[in-house]
Amino acid sequence: MKLLTKLKPSTFNQRRKRFFNLIIFYTSYVWFKSFSGSVLIPHYHHQGILQKQMIIGDVLYFLSAITVNLLLRKIYSRKSWQLSLIISMISILLIANIKTIQQYYLSNLVVGSTIVFFYVIYNISHFKLTPKHRTGLSSAIFFSLAPMVSLVAPMLAGFIANFNYLYIWILSTCFFIISFLQSNRQYNFEVKYKISFKEVKPTLVFIILQSLWEPLIVTVIPIFSLFFIQSPLYFGVYMSYLSLMSIIANLTLGKLTDKLQKRIIFLYPLTITMALATFLFPQALTKISWWLIITGVIQFCAPLFWNLTTSMFIDTTKDIETGFVTRELILSTGRMISIILIAVNFYFQPKPTYIFYYLGFIMLLFPATLFLHTKITKRYNYL
């Protein structure tokens, strides 16, 4: 990847090396998390954890992220990444053999902090090493790596877990060690945690809408899949199928967006398609074939949606550190609010459907607000 062209050769090579090392570390981290986490939902199910309780666990997960984001003042990147890895490993030990529901809730409460300790710091590092004119490409690399890893890791984990989950915990420990060793090779810098809503003002509404809708992917799709799939092997295959949809999207739609200077135009068909697919989820819950098609459509659109919205955010943010810290606080808060609503809906319906009309409406507001800001009020000019 080409970095700042005005840099001296020595500085250019140094930044390029740091970026390469960062990508290797990120890949090792995603592999560790994907392998250890992709078949946890059927594991929870077989350990007697109900879907309602899993949703409450997700609430605690994001509550933890919000709390850490508000309390943390400053931290060094390497320490933060290593802390994230250690916490992830502790959470695995907590859920390997679940005796009480409190043990499960504690695991979620602990591991939720890794959103802040890993992803906030990683985003800052990744895009600080990226020049402004390469934001789209760098964002595409970022959002392509996870689906590529998740094409293999869940299927492998499902195959192994089908024999014995003990091998999942053993191999996860090995992958943890590999990723931890990679963290020692990363450039170490200090990050100050400062929250400023003014810094994210141009994209504030879009971040809020994204945060309120995203539980469809982080909570609904994995947990509601238990209505159709309980086997760790088939669950792993299903997770790999969703990743395949993401890879196909990146290969096809990614090339189309690169040819246009105004990439924002793709957000209109993407978000409208995602909204319509969200409204169809009640139908998806009636038959597994519908479930595979509709969740596949969502997973096809989501990576490019994240790519474009991240590029929009970075292009309008002057202070990346403050911007990412503030953005993550908003994302975690919005996600937690919608997950609480999903939990409430679960208590009124054995197979919740009302929540999808709310989530679909939230996503419809995205293109409407985008049109309002760019064509009506003309307050901002994105991408």
Side-chain angles (χ1 to χ4, degrees):
M1 174 179 175
K2 186 179 179 182
L3 293 174
L4 295 177
T5 55
K6 292 183 179 180
L7 291 174
K8 293 180 180 179
S10 59
T11 308
F12 168 77
N13 290 333
Q14 185 183 54
R15 290 172 70 95
R16 185 171 60 179
K17 183 179 179 181
R18 286 176 181 173
F19 187 82
F20 180 76
N21 285 338
L22 189 68
I23 292 298
I24 296 298
F25 170 55
Y26 178 65
T27 304
S28 70
Y29 181 85
V30 172
W31 177 272
F32 162 61
K33 295 289 284 188
S34 181
F35 180 85
S36 62
S38 58
V39 290
L40 285 184
I41 297 296
H43 170 67
Y44 297 150
H45 176 71
H46 294 141
Q47 293 276 299
I49 307 298
L50 304 176
Q51 287 169 294
K52 299 175 184 178
Q53 295 169 326
M54 293 181 200
I55 295 172
I56 295 172
D58 278 3
V59 172
L60 296 175
Y61 179 89
F62 288 109
L63 177 62
S64 172
I66 294 167
T67 304
V68 173
N69 214 333
L70 289 173
L71 295 179
L72 201 60
R73 291 294 174 262
K74 63 180 180 179
I75 195 169
Y76 280 93
S77 58
R78 195 178 297 161
K79 178 182 178 181
S80 186
W81 288 327
Q82 291 176 345
L83 191 58
S84 172
L85 283 161
I86 293 170
I87 290 171
S88 296
M89 198 64 227
I90 290 172
S91 73
I92 290 173
L93 296 175
L94 281 170
I95 54 85
N97 185 20
I98 303 173
K99 297 295 184 182
T100 65
I101 187 61
Q102 289 77 18
Q103 185 180 340
Y104 168 73
Y105 288 151
L106 178 61
S107 174
N108 280 271
L109 200 57
V110 167
V111 80
S113 62
T114 61
I115 294 179
V116 179
F117 288 131
F118 183 83
Y119 281 103
V120 172
I121 307 296
Y122 180 82
N123 285 335
I124 292 170
S125 181
H126 184 101
F127 290 103
K128 268 192 171 183
L129 291 171
T130 301
K132 282 286 185 179
H133 69 285
R134 292 291 187 180
T135 297
L137 175 61
S138 185
S139 182
I141 292 172
F142 180 32
F143 289 110
S144 296
L145 281 173
M148 289 174 66
V149 169
S150 297
L151 181 63
V152 179
M155 196 181 303
L156 177 63
F159 178 77
I160 294 171
N162 211 47
F163 290 99
N164 196 326
Y165 266 94
L166 175 63
Y167 299 122
I168 296 292
W169 317 136
I170 293 173
L171 287 172
S172 293
T173 303
C174 296
F175 299 141
F176 157 76
I177 294 171
I178 293 171
S179 190
F180 194 90
L181 292 175
Q182 284 294 325
S183 69
N184 287 321
R185 301 181 61 193
Q186 305 311 305
Y187 173 65
N188 201 25
F189 62 95
E190 185 182 64
V191 175
K192 294 181 180 179
Y193 275 73
K194 179 184 176 184
I195 296 169
S196 172
F197 295 103
K198 184 179 179 180
E199 188 61 46
V200 299
K201 187 177 179 181
T203 54
L204 178 60
V205 176
F206 300 113
I207 297 171
I208 292 172
L209 293 174
Q210 178 181 337
S211 71
L212 291 171
W213 178 85
E214 278 187 339
L216 182 76
I217 291 181
V218 299
T219 295
V220 170
I221 290 179
I223 295 177
F224 283 35
S225 293
L226 283 173
F227 287 125
F228 305 105
I229 310 167
Q230 290 86 39
S231 161
L233 174 59
Y234 293 135
F235 199 91
V237 171
Y238 172 65
M239 291 290 109
S240 293
Y241 156 74
L242 294 181
S243 296
L244 179 61
M245 292 298 102
S246 299
I247 292 171
I248 293 172
N250 283 327
L251 291 175
T252 55
L253 300 181
K255 290 182 179 180
L256 290 175
T257 58
D258 288 340
K259 292 180 180 179
L260 294 179
Q261 291 182 343
K262 288 287 183 180
R263 288 172 292 146
I264 195 172
I265 194 172
F266 278 91
L267 277 172
Y268 288 106
L270 274 175
T271 50
I272 291 171
T273 301
M274 291 162 75
L276 293 177
T278 303
F279 284 127
L280 288 173
F281 263 79
Q283 176 67 30
L285 288 173
T286 63
K287 199 174 181 181
I288 189 170
S289 57
W290 276 107
W291 181 259
L292 292 174
I293 293 169
I294 294 173
T295 57
V297 169
I298 290 292
Q299 203 64 37
F300 182 86
C301 296
L304 193 57
F305 170 72
W306 287 326
N307 184 355
L308 294 175
T309 53
T310 301
S311 297
M312 182 196 301
F313 163 75
I314 293 168
D315 288 342
T316 57
T317 303
K318 295 179 180 179
D319 185 346
I320 288 182
E321 280 193 20
T322 303
F324 271 116
V325 170
T326 307
R327 178 175 177 264
E328 194 54 58
L329 176 65
I330 298 168
L331 287 175
S332 293
T333 303
R335 290 164 183 163
M336 187 180 73
I337 290 170
S338 286
I339 293 171
I340 290 173
L341 293 176
I342 294 169
V344 171
N345 192 179
F346 225 113
Y347 276 93
F348 286 100
Q349 292 180 295
K351 282 190 177 182
T353 57
Y354 301 147
I355 192 65
F356 298 117
Y357 303 116
Y358 155 76
L359 293 173
F361 175 72
I362 290 294
M363 184 49 72
L364 270 184
L365 288 177
F366 199 104
T369 306
L370 187 61
F371 184 80
L372 178 67
H373 281 192
T374 57
K375 302 297 182 180
I376 307 299
T377 64
K378 297 182 179 180
R379 292 173 60 190
Y380 303 107
N381 183 25
Y382 302 108
L383 295 180

